[in-house]
Amino acid sequence: MERERRHRHDQQGATLITSLLFLVLLTGLCVGGLATLIVNQGRSKNLLSSKQALYLADAGIQSARKYLNQHQSRWDVYASPAAQTLIAPTPVGDLGSYSVTVQDGGGGGVLVTATGVASNNATATIKSLMVIGPYVPDDAVTVNEDLTISAEAVIAGTYGGVHANGNLLLSGSPVINTNATAGEEYKASGRPTVNGVAGGDQAYAAIPFIQAYSYHGFRDYLLAWDGNVYDRDGVAQPKVKGLWQCWKFSSTWHSQKWTLTCDRTVNGTLYFQTDVAIPTEIGTVAEPWIVTLLAEGAIEATARRIVARAPASADGGLFKAGTQNFLFLTDEDMHIDGHRDQNLTGIVSAFEQFGIEGDPTMAGYIVAQDGSFLSRLVDENYISGRLALTYNGNVPNPLVKTVQSRTWIVSN
């Protein structure tokens, strides 16, 4: 009996020791696992912060390219031997901030350095050599903010795409031959057809600074804010019954406007210091209106039939190299309410926003800089109806240039 009690006591002791050893081992495993978890969490946070810093630096590069596009006239100032501040530290929500410097990069380019600083002070740097080159947009429609395309628009051609640096919304059943992209959010409803890339969070599209006064020297006639028309030498042109070549001037306390009133007018490059309205049919397929309209105000084309094209080199004196391929250029809004008999060929550029309705036929590209919101003719960039737009990348202009990145170096 004594031997059995001693045996049970020995077994209980062995069990206790085994349990204690197991507890020590389990505790060690838990402590080790916790330490590993803490290390991994630290690594994950560091990785996240590094990515945030890189994204912030990229935002700095995009902001710099946009800024340089809008200040191309100061290019020589920015190409200094020593680095100078281009964009001061700029916060981006709770993520952190970015700052940008610029200096001479050689070969006519500037070296842009963007530094992103995440919320925990992790940093990343991107260096980019930027140059100024001819603007050949990758897409038939490019806007700097948001764009809505609805109904049954058809964007065709080898460059038949659309891009919004803001949000892009497709609805109805538009057909887009190449890409439909957005710098921010992309949304699609209905049955749109996109034959290329369709999505958001895409690369920023550089848009050059295009305003009417840059092309003032290429005018054939100036239709002024005072109701007079002047030739290139500043000589006032005679009017008949208040009209000049079917153009009528009107003025109110808040705006001035030149309105086309009949179906025949002068060809050439017309510079307006006012708003422009085209409610009257003009041009035919056999005899198109050969014109470049440059307006410091808004342009509204609503006539059922407008057949117009930009002057070409074969048109002799009507052609101006500086305004090559420009059809409509406005410092404010552009509104086209089209019909099947509308046929417009050339570059359409709005410093503010554009709106296109109905079913016109167009060839060339459309660009909206979203530079301001002064005019209330159009509240946002949109295309509705059955616009048929074709762009093959073959409408250059020697004076329209954009800032382009040639190199890209990332460091942490």
Side-chain angles (χ1 to χ4, degrees):
M1 184 68 70
E2 180 65 26
R3 184 178 299 170
E4 288 180 2
R5 284 200 297 270
R6 187 179 299 113
H7 180 67
R8 284 197 298 271
H9 179 74
D10 291 341
Q11 283 183 327
Q12 289 174 349
T15 301
L16 178 61
I17 292 172
T18 301
S19 299
L20 288 173
L21 289 174
F22 180 76
L23 181 61
V24 169
L25 178 62
L26 183 60
T27 301
L29 290 173
C30 290
V31 170
L34 182 60
T36 301
L37 179 61
I38 292 172
V39 170
N40 288 338
Q41 283 182 334
R43 288 176 178 173
S44 297
K45 287 182 179 179
N46 290 336
L47 181 60
L48 176 62
S49 297
S50 296
K51 287 185 176 181
Q52 287 177 338
L54 183 60
Y55 293 150
L56 289 164
D58 179 68
I61 288 290
Q62 305 303 341
S63 296
R65 188 161 60 160
K66 181 177 181 179
Y67 184 88
L68 290 170
N69 260 317
Q70 296 173 342
H71 298 83
Q72 292 182 20
S73 61
R74 293 180 54 82
W75 194 262
D76 291 341
V77 176
Y78 298 133
S80 60
Q84 57 181 302
T85 298
L86 183 69
I87 301 176
T90 302
V92 180
D94 296 329
L95 296 178
S97 65
Y98 63 79
S99 59
V100 182
T101 63
V102 63
Q103 65 188 104
D104 181 28
V110 295
L111 179 63
V112 174
T113 302
T115 301
V117 181
S119 55
N120 71 339
N121 293 323
T123 63
T125 300
I126 297 177
K127 295 179 181 288
S128 177
L129 178 66
M130 296 190 180
V131 299
I132 296 180
Y135 178 59
V136 180
D138 293 331
D139 299 293
V141 182
T142 309
V143 306
N144 203 36
E145 295 291 344
D146 299 340
L147 172 64
T148 299
I149 300 179
S150 59
E152 300 176 4
V154 176
I155 313 298
T158 54
Y159 285 65
V162 298
H163 177 84
N165 282 334
N167 301 312
L168 175 61
L169 172 62
L170 303 183
S171 62
S173 53
V175 177
I176 299 172
N177 192 47
T178 59
N179 302 326
T181 54
E184 296 181 12
E185 190 174 11
Y186 168 85
K187 289 184 178 181
S189 60
R191 295 187 298 172
T193 299
V194 179
N195 295 322
V197 175
D201 297 322
Q202 302 296 307
Y204 167 83
I207 298 176
F209 182 74
I210 308 174
Q211 282 198 296
Y213 195 76
S214 300
Y215 306 91
H216 181 266
F218 300 101
R219 71 194 183 284
D220 290 315
Y221 295 99
L222 169 66
L223 287 81
W225 62 268
D226 62 3
N228 291 312
V229 180
Y230 302 91
D231 66 11
R232 288 185 54 83
D233 297 322
V235 177
Q237 303 298 292
K239 294 193 289 186
V240 178
K241 296 182 179 179
L243 301 178
W244 177 81
Q245 297 285 349
C246 286
W247 288 97
K248 181 180 180 181
F249 177 77
S250 60
S251 179
T252 65
W253 67 272
H254 66 281
S255 68
Q256 294 80 40
K257 181 188 296 184
W258 284 94
T259 301
L260 186 63
T261 62
C262 65
D263 62 358
R264 286 190 177 274
T265 188
V266 64
N267 292 328
T269 301
L270 307 182
Y271 188 98
F272 297 81
Q273 293 180 325
T274 65
D275 293 338
V276 181
I278 309 173
T280 305
E281 296 184 1
I282 184 169
T284 64
V285 173
E287 294 186 59
W289 185 22
I290 304 172
V291 68
T292 293
L293 294 185
L294 309 170
E296 294 180 7
I299 296 178
E300 184 170 29
T302 58
R304 172 175 285 282
R305 188 190 76 244
I306 303 176
V307 182
R309 66 170 175 82
S313 56
D315 296 318
L318 294 178
F319 176 75
K320 310 291 192 305
T323 53
Q324 181 180 0
N325 287 316
F326 271 130
L327 181 66
F328 296 153
L329 188 163
T330 171
D331 286 352
E332 295 185 0
D333 289 339
M334 169 72 63
H335 178 225
I336 297 173
D337 188 358
H339 303 272
R340 290 187 182 277
D341 293 330
Q342 275 195 12
N343 194 313
L344 307 174
T345 302
I347 299 168
V348 173
S349 172
F351 183 71
E352 294 191 2
Q353 293 78 42
F354 74 83
I356 299 178
E357 304 170 27
D359 48 5
T361 298
M362 300 176 66
Y365 66 77
I366 303 169
V367 58
Q369 300 170 68
D370 293 287
S372 62
F373 296 85
L374 299 176
S375 173
R376 305 310 301 175
L377 182 62
V378 176
D379 292 328
E380 61 182 355
N381 299 305
Y382 69 88
I383 296 172
S384 63
R386 298 182 178 182
L387 166 69
L389 172 63
T390 302
Y391 174 51
N392 291 310
N394 55 350
V395 283
N397 183 285
L399 294 187
V400 180
K401 298 182 182 297
T402 186
V403 174
Q404 303 163 2
S405 295
R406 289 289 176 84
T407 63
W408 193 272
I409 301 173
V410 179
S411 61
N412 290 89

